[in-house]
Amino acid sequence: MLRYFTAGESHGEALVAFLSGMPAGLKVDPAFLDRELWRRQQGYGRGGRMKIERDTAHILSGVRQGMTIGSPITILLQNKDWKNWQESLPVETGDPTKHKRVGSPRPGHADLAGALKYNFPEARYVLERASARESAARVAIGGLAKLFLRELGIEVLSHVVAVGGASIGAKEVSWEQIRGVCERPEILLNCVEAGAEQRMKDEVDQALKTGDSVGGVFEVVAHHVPPGLGTYAQWDERLDALLAGAVMSLQAVKAVEIGAGITAAASPGSTVHDEIGYGAAKGFTGFTRGRNNAGGIEGGVSNGEDIRVRAYLKPISTLRRPLQSVDFATREPMRAAYERSDVCVVPAAGVAGEAMVALTLARCVLEKFGGDSMGETLRNFEGYLQQLKRY
Ligand code: EPS
């Protein structure tokens, strides 16, 4: 079973990610992991922290001679900003006067709920773990999941559908378009439509000017996923539920949609469901669909079409022109705390979304096909593909 955890504070020494259950014999390309981490750091509207960090995946265990060996994988990501925080966030008892309080909780952030829960007098330690910096660790192990899925021909990428009020016109974006935008050497807003990308940039500029922030929508697409991952047999094994939970767990995500889920709710069934045809086998089987409103999942099971998951992000909750809040110490009205912040993180969140989708699919693949070595997993997978062809 594929299991994973992350650890680390935003301004601590490092982030750490653990991944256990990956079969032995998977080729690991560290440059690929670092490009994934680089992609997560990009995007128009990122804040000052991204100028400090240059995330790289330092593999500590589970990979030898460029291959996984079946034992738990640990990846360390150094925080370059740590040098500025050593005195205020020491592991040992340090000088309490150096502590940097977060004295008034930011509406929308975990600050208040976290301080109440953990019984902290202010929100410093809440911010440290709740920050979206943690998603860098997920992207590192998500990169391993992507390398694993690639061996089966499955690819996972994302694009930005909307930033604030600016959105793309197309209802369904092709895999080739998404791959094209993700391969660009520079990332602006990772949007497939040039005109929409310019309008998205204008939204960010407006927020920058006014000390505000913007949210948006990204879509993760998993390409060439075979039918049969996940099951309707048990509620907690449904692929759509697993994907929704995984993507919803990302910082700032407030809603998740599979396929055309949101518009489907207001449309008649005849315009929603994807009619079935049959022809010469082009994909996994001879069954065909003219469109993909289901987002590649029916009854909690992948159906062989591209899997499409959209995530809706609230605007970043740290505002340069802060909202009204309360002083933790005096309970008097006070503006919410501000250090520095991103204005827009939609493209970066999309990369983290890819990681969560890849980890979820890798887990479902391993549950279905098993295997302690890549040879065994691929043999089982090939046997299933033969079965589909013969169906
Ligand atoms: C982030 C690092 C953080 C923030 C951001 C994401 O760095 P810092 O707090 O030092 O500026 O830029 O955090 C949040 C969006 C958040 O909600 O806390 C990163 O690496 O992505």
Side-chain angles (χ1 to χ4, degrees):
M1 182 181 165
L2 200 67
R3 286 181 294 173
Y4 44 94
F5 288 101
T6 69
E9 284 84 46
S10 178
H11 305 102
E13 188 170 353
L15 299 167
V16 187
F18 304 87
L19 179 67
S20 119
M22 193 57 99
L26 172 69
K27 257 200 213 131
V28 174
D29 174 9
F32 175 76
L33 303 188
D34 288 347
R35 177 162 161 91
E36 292 294 285
L37 291 167
W38 172 84
R39 289 179 62 226
R40 196 203 69 93
Q41 287 200 263
Q42 305 308 300
Y44 192 69
R46 293 291 256 155
R49 180 73 182 274
M50 291 303 102
K51 293 192 179 76
I52 300 172
E53 301 300 339
R54 196 161 177 277
D55 294 334
T56 51
H58 181 56
I59 300 175
L60 297 176
S61 72
V63 179
R64 301 290 155 197
Q65 309 271 11
M67 297 262 199
T68 57
I69 56 171
S71 45
I73 299 167
T74 324
I75 301 182
L76 183 111
L77 292 97
Q78 292 285 351
N79 283 325
K80 285 197 187 304
D81 205 16
W82 165 238
K83 63 177 186 306
N84 305 314
W85 291 83
Q86 289 184 36
E87 289 193 322
S88 53
L89 289 172
V91 171
E92 64 284 0
T93 310
D95 177 355
T97 64
K98 304 274 196 228
H99 183 77
K100 291 187 186 160
R101 295 176 77 254
V102 176
S104 52
R106 289 160 293 173
H109 214 280
D111 295 348
L112 179 58
L116 293 170
K117 175 177 170 66
Y118 291 100
N119 200 22
F120 294 135
E122 47 84 34
R124 166 54 59 194
Y125 300 140
V126 178
L127 171 167
E128 287 298 328
R129 183 62 189 158
S131 164
R133 174 105 196 106
E134 182 267 346
S135 65
R138 303 200 216 184
V139 169
I141 47 173
L144 291 172
K146 282 188 170 191
L147 290 174
F148 169 73
L149 293 171
R150 270 190 184 178
E151 296 289 321
L152 291 86
I154 303 169
E155 304 228 36
V156 182
L157 287 172
S158 68
H159 67 107
V160 171
V161 171
V163 169
S167 59
I168 59 170
K171 255 180 68 190
E172 214 176 296
V173 175
S174 75
W175 173 253
E176 286 67 35
Q177 278 179 295
I178 299 170
R179 184 159 51 201
V181 76
C182 289
E183 279 173 359
R184 283 183 197 158
E186 274 175 44
I187 297 172
L188 185 65
L189 285 151
N190 209 39
C191 177
V192 296
E193 292 177 12
E197 189 161 49
Q198 184 55 49
R199 282 185 281 112
M200 291 175 183
K201 184 170 176 287
D202 295 343
E203 292 268 339
V204 179
D205 284 335
Q206 182 60 22
L208 267 166
K209 214 185 311 171
T210 55
D212 218 318
S213 62
V214 277
V217 182
F218 67 77
E219 181 175 60
V220 179
V221 176
H223 184 60
H224 205 248
V225 179
L229 297 185
T231 174
Y232 47 78
Q234 205 56 264
W235 68 271
D236 59 351
E237 294 174 53
R238 285 179 173 260
L239 182 57
D240 41 8
L242 294 172
L243 287 169
V247 173
M248 182 67 102
S249 77
L250 285 166
Q251 296 85 350
V253 173
K254 293 298 270 185
V256 180
E257 176 186 26
I258 310 279
I262 289 172
T263 49
S267 312
S270 55
T271 67
V272 170
H273 302 300
D274 311 322
E275 288 184 312
I276 302 171
Y278 194 81
K282 266 194 283 163
F284 296 98
T285 67
F287 293 99
T288 58
R289 305 291 177 116
R291 62 179 178 219
N292 184 16
N293 282 340
I297 303 174
E298 289 169 309
V301 184
S302 64
N303 65 6
E305 300 296 309
D306 283 359
I307 290 181
R308 295 182 168 269
V309 185
R310 286 186 179 199
Y312 293 70
L313 278 90
K314 66 185 173 185
I316 291 289
S317 41
T318 313
L319 303 183
R320 185 160 51 75
R321 210 185 54 207
L323 292 175
Q324 195 57 51
S325 184
V326 170
D327 187 332
F328 270 119
T330 65
R331 310 289 152 103
E332 292 297 320
M334 187 185 181
R335 292 280 161 188
Y338 178 78
E339 275 163 12
R340 66 178 168 214
S341 175
D342 305 285
V343 169
C344 170
V345 292
V346 188
V351 178
E354 293 169 29
M356 295 315 291
V357 168
L359 285 161
T360 306
L361 292 178
R363 187 180 136 190
C364 292
V365 162
L366 283 167
E367 273 166 17
K368 181 159 172 58
F369 302 109
D372 295 305
S373 67
M374 284 308 291
E376 189 180 4
T377 305
L378 290 174
R379 203 165 55 237
N380 296 344
F381 181 61
E382 286 301 325
Y384 177 66
L385 293 186
Q386 293 302 323
Q387 175 190 311
L388 288 177
K389 287 269 180 258
R390 283 196 303 269
Y391 178 86

